[in-house]
Amino acid sequence: LSGKNNVSLIAVIGGTETEEALVSIAADESVRSTFTQNVAELVSKYNLAGVEIDWQNLTEENTANYAALISALKETLADTIVSASVYSSYADFYGEALSQLDQIVVMIGDQMTEESENVQPNLKLDDVTAAVEVFASKGVDKSKMIPVVSLTGKSFMGANGLGTAHQGVGSGNEGLLSYAELMKKFDSPDYTVSFDEATSSEVAVGNGETIVFSGI
C-alpha cells in the first residue's frame, strides 16, 4: 500500500479507550517483545513507512514502561519511523521516550465546551503555539513536531457571537460537526461567517446559534 502515488503510510496503534491494553503490553517485557514483532510483521506486510503509538491518558506511573515500549519498537523497527501522538497535558510523563521518537504528532483538544458560560473559540492559534512550546521545552526539535488542527466545529444555541452566553445543548455540545457538515450549512445565507483576528479562529453566527471552528 505504502509508496503508491508518492504517499507513505504510517499505522496508528492505540487511540480512545485502548490505554488499558497499552498499559498491559508495556508493563511486561515478554509481551512487549511479542507486540513489537507483530508490529514489525504489519509494517512488512503492508510496506508501511512507520508506526505511531497513540497512548492517551498517560500517567506518571507508566512513564518508564512507556519509554521501554518506544525503545523496543525502535530496536525492532530499526529502519522504520517510530512516532507517537502526544498531548501537552501529559507532557511530563513521556520522559526519555521523547528523545527516541523520530517525530511526534502534537494533538490539541477543543477549548470550547458546554461547561464554558460564554462562547469562545474552539481552538485559538495561541493554543497550538502553546502545545508546541511545551514539547520544545522538553528538548524536542520543532522540526520533528506535527501539530494536528482538527477542522471541526461546535454549535451553541442562543448565542450571538464570541463572548455571548449560550442556552443549553447545541449540536456541537452533543458531538462535533465535521468540516463537510459545516460547509454544507454555510451554503445557505442563514450564517454570517467571519475570521476573528485576535484568536485566529472562525466564527459563524446564525439565527439563535453560534458555531466556532478552526478553518483552513
Side-chain angles (χ1 to χ4, degrees):
L1 295 176
S2 192
K4 291 184 178 180
N5 299 318
N6 296 317
V7 173
S8 296
L9 299 181
I10 292 179
V12 180
I13 300 172
T16 304
E17 298 183 356
T18 62
E19 52 261 42
E20 186 175 335
L22 290 169
V23 166
S24 299
I25 291 168
D28 187 300
E29 183 177 0
S30 176
V31 178
R32 280 200 308 269
S33 178
T34 300
F35 174 76
T36 54
Q37 289 300 322
N38 288 340
V39 172
E41 291 177 10
L42 179 72
V43 168
S44 177
K45 180 178 180 179
Y46 294 105
N47 189 31
L48 300 176
V51 295
E52 179 182 321
I53 299 298
D54 185 3
W55 185 332
Q56 299 182 13
N57 303 310
L58 187 66
T59 61
E60 186 173 10
E61 65 181 341
N62 288 306
T63 295
N65 289 339
Y66 181 85
L69 178 62
I70 297 301
S71 180
L73 286 168
K74 286 288 294 179
E75 183 177 348
T76 303
L77 304 170
D79 300 319
T80 305
I81 294 171
V82 176
S83 176
S85 300
V86 297
Y87 304 79
S88 57
S89 53
Y90 315 131
D92 291 337
F93 307 145
Y94 294 108
E96 63 184 46
L98 288 175
S99 63
Q100 300 182 64
L101 293 162
D102 298 305
Q103 64 186 30
I104 65 171
V105 178
V106 183
M107 307 297 290
I108 305 156
D110 294 332
Q111 305 300 305
M112 176 61 199
T113 69
E114 59 267 34
E115 285 79 23
S116 303
E117 291 184 1
N118 298 320
V119 177
Q120 59 180 311
N122 208 32
L123 187 65
K124 304 185 296 294
L125 179 60
D126 287 349
D127 299 323
V128 179
T129 302
V132 167
E133 292 297 342
V134 164
F135 290 101
S137 72
K138 300 293 182 184
V140 180
D141 189 326
K142 289 183 180 179
S143 67
K144 292 185 177 183
M145 299 186 201
I146 303 172
V148 174
V149 177
S150 178
L151 300 181
T152 53
K154 289 184 174 180
S155 69
F156 295 88
M157 307 309 294
N160 190 36
L162 293 177
T164 64
H166 60 87
Q167 300 171 358
V169 176
S171 58
N173 300 43
E174 297 172 338
L176 294 174
L177 293 165
S178 71
Y179 197 73
E181 289 175 307
L182 289 173
M183 295 303 101
K184 186 175 181 180
K185 273 179 171 285
F186 301 158
D187 280 342
S188 76
D190 299 333
Y191 295 90
T192 300
V193 182
S194 60
F195 180 78
D196 183 61
E197 294 284 353
T199 59
S200 296
S201 64
E202 306 275 5
V203 57
V205 179
N207 184 18
E209 177 190 22
T210 293
I211 300 174
V212 287
F213 65 103
S214 299
I216 296 295

